[in-house]
Amino acid sequence: MFKKILIANRGEIALRIICACREMGIKTVAVYSEADENSLHVRFADEDVCIGPARSLDSYLNVPAIISAAEITGADAIHPGYGFLSESAYLAEVCEACHIRFIGPDATVIRLMGDKARARRAMKKAGVPVLAGSDGAVESEEQALRLAKDIGYPVIIKAIAGGGGRGMRIIRTPGEMGRALKTAQREAQAAFGVGDVYVEKYVEKPRHIEVQVLGDHHGSVVHLGERECSIQRRHQKLIEEAPSVALTDRMRRKLGGTVVDAARAVQYTNAGTFEFLMDAGGHFSFMEANTRLQVEHAVTEMGTGIDIVKEQIRIAAGERLSFKQGDVAFTGHALECRINAECPETFTPSPGLIQAFSVPGGPGVRVDTFAHSECLVSPYYDSLIAKIITHGRDRQEAIARMRRTLEMTVVEGIKTSIPLYLRILADPDFVAGRLSTAFMERFLNEKRGGSLAQAV
Amino acid sequence: MSNLDEIKEILDLVKAHDLAEFELERNGLKIRVRKDAAVPVLVHSSAAPVPEMRPGAPAVVAPSGRPEDAPGAEMEAEAIELAVVKSPIVGTFFRAAEPGAPPFVDIGMRVHKGQVLCIIEAMKLMNEIECEYDGELASVYVDNGQPVQYGERLFAIKVV
């Protein structure tokens, strides 16, 4: 087992990893940028190393600085968290060359699944249903138009190297293709350094269903059930839940089995998530795989009782999974709201000093956060300040718990998205479980329409 | 522990043990404390370290007076420009090109722009840290072979 793990991340996920390490008796090393000098993850780690100035490229994305920090502290493993370098095959390779264990899949698997087009091909080969689309990068407008005609409109253009909504364009008619293609390519180049895009069938009002997997280095792969993440704005998840109300046990077993087979086919190890779109008829299509721990891993932990970060560490240390598929059971219902430091109406970022911070306890509540009173939320990094997760015997109780938890959460000094979530939780479609990735668009338009009507 | 904390500790020790005189030299810092009557006076400090500032920005530091001063005498204010060299990378600090070799620079030595002050080893690469000022090396804050982080104080140079 590792003696010392360096956490190549910040904020709430760095604290999450510290939690697991502390419970396992493993020493921790925090790395931080100058902007995070007083951050909780630095305070609670056993050792800390300043790795650069505030800018991510010079600090949390700085591979030499991170490796050097591991060397001078004698860390024998690095946990990359999510975001930043968590899906960097380069970091995984450098770790291996420096005899530091990277807590995640192998570099080859990261590279394979990180290339969206290659991932689709590999999944197709493994018998996973994939959305109709181009098998590689789109070379020309003519090719894109031909593909779109075969697939059938509407189609979506996506960045091969990307995610998070950038380098994406929805096209409903051939006339839109030329401009959409050029803009998507430019965006992809700017955001990911690679301008290649691929074309895919666009499913109207799909549900976003993803499956959590864990694979060890002894050939054992299990799934931990699905999560539904349909409440998204501009492809950024806002609310996640498990299980999905749209899946029957039979669908769950079938989807889980398909994912486990696919993970085995690509020799997947450590934690990962396979994302699908589900259409109104209950048919799943593979979208992409995330070869890392995810923000919303907590909802799966709440329902299964499995500590995914500890499993990641054990797997990376060469241990066998301590449980079989038959041992995995999901009880009750879990919900997560991502609390962002932003205006709940306009979504503009709201960095600044949190003057008062208080979260309630009580049954079925979990809060993962680095925020506290007198904590400075800096503008350099993403706006997530806290994840509030609730669990209940059923979805109704989970929602009621989330509502009262949000109502009893105090964050003063900055704006947060809490009021937005309270409104969503009261929405009849949400309460009834009538979800899709089109939910937020409808919800926000209605709000706008509503307030306009009031103003008139 | 910052040097200010160390100085406070020393003064407490002087008081507690009722010492008449106390001298300490360490890490380029030299302190001599002479006590007379009830009030200990900080008599001499060479290369007083400077608190947090941006890399390379010179600071103005007022040193204490001279050993010959009568007890209780006012400290002479004499402005000295000190530039603090901070580490631009994470790694291990070495004062010489290789084990056994003489250090690149020593306290009191004149240094000039572009001169190599030390090596910081990171990922098996030896990075030479160059001086950005003309002046005299006043302090060395790090021991040979010590790990350093980004922004860690390495040297203080009296800019002349």
Side-chain angles (χ1 to χ4, degrees):
Chain A
M1 180 41 70
F2 306 121
K3 297 260 179 338
K4 195 183 279 189
I5 293 178
L6 182 148
I7 297 134
N9 216 297
R10 61 176 299 279
E12 71 88 15
I13 198 60
L15 280 171
R16 172 72 188 91
I17 297 160
I18 289 174
C19 285
C21 290
R22 278 179 171 240
E23 288 171 30
M24 294 171 78
I26 299 172
K27 292 259 181 270
T28 51
V29 179
V31 295
Y32 64 97
S33 74
E34 286 180 318
D36 281 337
E37 199 179 334
N38 294 309
S39 198
L40 281 190
H41 78 281
V42 176
R43 310 251 214 112
F44 285 125
D46 295 301
E47 297 174 59
D48 54 83
V49 181
C50 181
I51 54 170
R55 208 166 72 118
S56 294
L57 264 176
D58 298 324
S59 53
Y60 298 106
L61 293 172
N62 185 341
V63 173
I66 287 166
I67 296 288
S68 201
E71 282 182 343
I72 64 173
T73 54
D76 42 4
I78 290 179
H79 196 306
Y82 55 67
F84 289 128
L85 294 166
S86 62
E87 287 177 289
S88 165
Y90 176 61
L91 175 65
E93 279 166 349
V94 175
C95 280
E96 208 186 332
C98 297
H99 306 293
I100 298 166
R101 195 66 58 83
F102 177 82
I103 299 174
D106 292 335
T108 32
V109 174
I110 293 175
R111 208 167 258 126
L112 168 68
M113 302 313 272
D115 179 329
K116 306 301 174 200
R118 277 184 71 203
R120 279 170 41 90
R121 282 199 298 274
M123 289 297 98
K124 212 159 138 183
K125 201 160 150 228
V128 177
V130 304
L131 280 177
S134 62
D135 272 336
V138 167
E139 309 281 302
S140 66
E141 195 187 324
E142 292 76 50
Q143 185 200 15
L145 285 164
R146 252 184 293 121
L147 280 163
K149 187 155 171 277
D150 286 337
I151 296 168
Y153 288 92
V155 297
I156 182 169
I157 299 178
K158 285 180 168 181
I160 277 180
R166 281 167 298 173
M168 285 188 185
R169 283 294 182 284
I170 298 165
I171 301 150
R172 301 184 186 279
T173 64
E176 298 167 33
M177 182 64 78
R179 197 162 69 107
L181 185 60
K182 282 196 187 66
T183 332
Q185 283 168 328
R186 252 205 329 267
E187 236 179 58
Q189 182 69 45
F192 312 113
V194 174
D196 289 337
V197 297
Y198 65 107
V199 179
E200 205 174 59
K201 173 94 191 119
Y202 182 67
V203 180
E204 300 274 16
K205 300 196 192 199
R207 287 182 185 257
H208 174 119
I209 306 289
E210 58 186 42
V211 180
Q212 176 74 55
V213 298
L214 280 171
D216 66 19
H217 291 277
H218 302 268
S220 180
V221 182
V222 299
H223 75 87
L224 302 185
E226 84 283 4
R227 291 185 288 261
E228 171 150 14
C229 313
S230 300
I231 311 297
Q232 305 174 4
R233 177 182 171 264
R234 296 190 182 172
H235 304 279
Q236 300 281 304
K237 295 167 185 170
L238 297 179
I239 301 179
E240 304 103 339
E241 61 184 284
S244 165
V245 297
L247 266 67
T248 62
D249 272 340
R250 201 155 142 260
M251 287 163 82
R252 183 167 295 117
R253 273 195 303 273
K254 183 155 182 266
L255 182 65
T258 308
V259 168
V260 167
D261 288 343
R264 278 218 183 85
V266 299
Q267 295 176 314
Y268 198 92
T269 54
N270 214 283
T273 297
F274 288 70
E275 297 187 334
F276 294 83
L277 292 182
M278 191 184 101
D279 67 18
H283 305 110
F284 294 100
S285 304
F286 173 82
M287 243 208 326
E288 61 184 56
N290 296 318
T291 56
R292 55 171 165 83
L293 182 69
Q294 289 203 271
V295 175
E296 61 270 28
H297 73 276
V299 293
T300 299
E301 289 184 329
M302 291 295 261
T304 60
I306 292 167
D307 187 319
I308 294 174
V309 177
K310 279 188 188 169
E311 295 305 323
Q312 282 190 292
I313 294 171
R314 290 199 186 103
I315 289 168
E319 290 180 19
R320 290 176 180 274
L321 273 178
S322 59
F323 52 89
K324 295 193 169 32
Q325 188 65 63
D327 300 323
V328 179
F330 202 102
T331 55
H333 200 99
L335 265 181
E336 173 181 278
C337 287
R338 298 194 189 189
I339 310 304
N340 295 318
E342 62 190 21
C343 172
E345 274 100 34
T346 63
F347 301 98
T348 47
S350 172
L353 184 72
I354 295 176
Q355 270 138 17
F357 186 84
S358 168
V359 287
V365 177
R366 166 175 163 177
V367 180
D368 286 11
T369 183
F370 65 98
H372 56 87
S373 295
E374 306 294 311
C375 163
L376 187 66
V377 175
S378 67
Y380 303 107
Y381 313 110
D382 68 33
S383 59
L384 179 69
I385 57 161
K387 288 158 24 187
I388 295 185
I389 304 120
T390 58
H391 182 264
R393 286 165 306 180
D394 50 38
R395 190 166 187 267
Q396 206 182 358
E397 188 172 55
I399 291 175
R401 273 199 177 136
M402 181 61 81
R403 154 167 295 277
R404 71 94 176 147
T405 302
L406 291 178
E407 284 167 352
M408 292 168 72
T409 297
V410 175
V411 186
E412 281 172 15
I414 60 165
K415 297 205 179 101
T416 74
S417 42
I418 289 175
L420 171 71
Y421 291 120
L422 284 168
R423 287 196 291 269
I424 294 173
L425 291 174
D427 182 279
D429 279 349
F430 182 83
V431 173
R434 286 188 293 268
L435 312 178
S436 79
T437 53
F439 180 97
M440 279 310 289
E441 203 186 313
R442 189 268 305 159
F443 179 83
L444 291 171
N445 279 335
E446 263 174 25
K447 257 186 2 79
R448 241 174 268 131
S451 47
L452 272 177
Q454 273 170 357
V456 162
Chain B
M1 207 199 288
S2 75
N3 277 300
L4 191 58
D5 289 332
E6 285 174 345
I7 293 169
K8 280 190 190 140
E9 254 203 28
I10 289 165
L11 291 178
D12 285 338
L13 279 167
V14 168
K15 236 188 273 183
H17 295 273
D18 215 27
L19 299 175
E21 195 168 307
F22 178 86
E23 186 176 303
L24 170 72
E25 182 170 342
R26 186 160 66 90
N27 276 351
L29 170 74
K30 187 168 172 179
I31 282 182
R32 194 195 297 175
V33 182
R34 211 165 78 200
K35 183 173 128 171
D36 201 300
V39 183
V41 174
L42 190 63
V43 184
H44 173 82
S45 164
S46 66
V50 179
E52 277 305 294
M53 36 176 231
R54 266 174 287 285
V60 177
V61 173
S64 49
R66 262 154 263 301
E68 301 81 48
D69 281 357
E74 289 283 80
M75 295 207 250
E76 228 166 83
E78 192 185 294
I80 293 178
E81 283 214 18
L82 271 187
V84 173
V85 178
K86 289 182 167 187
S87 178
I89 56 172
V90 180
T92 309
F93 172 87
F94 293 110
R95 289 201 60 185
E98 57 201 15
F104 287 107
V105 291
D106 257 322
I107 291 180
M109 197 189 243
R110 288 207 71 83
V111 293
H112 55 84
K113 284 196 187 76
Q115 180 171 358
V116 174
L117 296 172
C118 66
I119 279 177
I120 296 183
E121 185 250 307
M123 289 174 68
K124 307 288 178 273
L125 290 173
M126 306 295 166
N127 303 276
E128 291 179 338
I129 308 301
E130 288 178 1
C131 187
E132 288 172 38
Y133 313 94
D134 293 325
E136 185 190 301
L137 191 72
S139 305
V140 182
Y141 297 115
V142 186
D143 290 328
N144 191 48
Q146 191 182 315
V148 292
Q149 57 186 9
Y150 175 85
E152 187 139 6
R153 277 182 325 181
L154 302 177
F155 303 98
I157 294 165
K158 197 157 95 182
V159 180
V160 175

